Amino acid sequence: MTKPPSTDIARNDGTREKLLLAALNLFGQYGFEGVSTRKLAELAGVNLQAINYYFGNKRGLYNAVADYLIERLQVRIGERRKMVLGRFAEAQFGGRPIDVEEARAILTTLGEAMLTLFAEDESAVWVRYMVREQAEPTEAYDRIYTGFMQPMLTAVRHLVGILLEADPNSERVRLRTLSLVGSLIVYRVGRATILREMEWSAVGSKETAAIRSIAGELVAGIHPTGESAT
């Protein structure tokens, strides 16, 4: 039976989100086994029993971080994804088909949104957590993949298929989609190399604008075999 929460837990003082933010930070740096519940509570500045009250146990908190990540990503680029999926539904049910020009424009917009997100410091802790899950997938990865990555990849894959004039479910289109997404993600996971190579001390508004401009060039390079980008 769950122990009644203490006064500081029962208050609507953001305890749950404090724990999620602390967990996202620590789990991303040290992994699940490398973080104690005491350390989580200390960083969050909450009572230790709050973990069990809100999440059941440490594993429950770890999985909840995945759900929190999905929520944050939905806030940041969910509207664009919703627009893309809505446009696909319209085309599928008798509306105007998505042509190459529109597909390229939509892909560029999505790419710019992702690059803008990756340029921000907030995304650093998100990516650390997700990279750990890529290396050693757990139930948390299943949540992230099903809740966000799969729908996003499906949308991007259909757009890439239009540009390649190929079946979006084909191996070639899937690989080209992953190649495109990987080319965007490198601007977050390869931050140290990018700063060194570009001779930047930090990524500010000027640097972010430069990074955003790459999205259109990456998308412009996707075209059917035998054709060159114009």
Side-chain angles (χ1 to χ4, degrees), residues 94-106:
R96 177 173 54 85
I98 300 175
D99 59 18
V100 170
E101 183 178 352
E102 184 180 7
R104 204 176 295 282
I106 294 173

Side-chain angles (χ1 to χ4, degrees), residues 133-145:
E133 281 298 309
Q134 289 282 342
E136 298 179 11
T138 68
E139 178 188 344
Y141 174 74
D142 293 336
R143 291 171 182 243
I144 295 171
Y145 180 77

Side-chain angles (χ1 to χ4, degrees), residues 104-222:
R104 204 176 295 282
I106 294 173
L107 263 182
T108 299
T109 299
L110 286 174
E112 289 174 346
M114 291 178 66
L115 287 174
T116 300
L117 175 62
F118 293 150
E120 298 176 359
D121 291 339
E122 182 184 8
S123 67
V125 290
W126 302 0
V127 172
R128 280 200 298 265
Y129 179 90
M130 294 175 73
V131 166
R132 282 189 172 275
E133 281 298 309
Q134 289 282 342
E136 298 179 11
T138 68
E139 178 188 344
Y141 174 74
D142 293 336
R143 291 171 182 243
I144 295 171
Y145 180 77
T146 302
F148 186 83
M149 292 177 66
Q150 185 178 38
M152 177 61 77
L153 285 171
T154 298
V156 173
R157 178 158 45 83
H158 277 78
L159 292 167
V160 170
I162 292 171
L163 298 185
L164 292 176
E165 297 179 1
D167 180 356
N169 295 315
S170 67
E171 181 179 84
R172 176 174 175 243
V173 172
R174 289 178 186 274
L175 289 174
R176 286 299 299 272
T177 298
L178 292 171
S179 178
L180 173 62
V181 173
S183 296
L184 300 172
I185 292 176
V186 72
Y187 285 93
R188 177 71 264 172
V189 299
R191 176 58 59 88
T193 300
I194 290 167
L195 290 175
R196 186 71 61 88
E197 180 64 19
M198 298 303 299
E199 299 181 354
W200 292 341
S201 59
V203 176
S205 57
K206 179 181 177 181
E207 292 78 12
T208 298
I211 290 173
R212 277 175 57 93
S213 69
I214 295 298
E217 295 183 23
L218 290 172
V219 174
I222 304 173

Side-chain angles (χ1 to χ4, degrees), residues 21-34:
L21 290 172
L24 180 58
N25 189 350
L26 292 176
F27 286 140
Q29 291 187 67
Y30 307 110
F32 180 78
E33 297 296 341

Side-chain angles (χ1 to χ4, degrees), residues 71-86:
E71 291 174 7
R72 294 302 303 154
L73 287 166
Q74 293 284 17
V75 168
R76 296 305 306 276
I77 60 178
E79 282 303 312
R80 290 179 177 84
R81 188 186 71 166
K82 183 178 178 181
M83 176 270 292
V84 172
L85 295 179

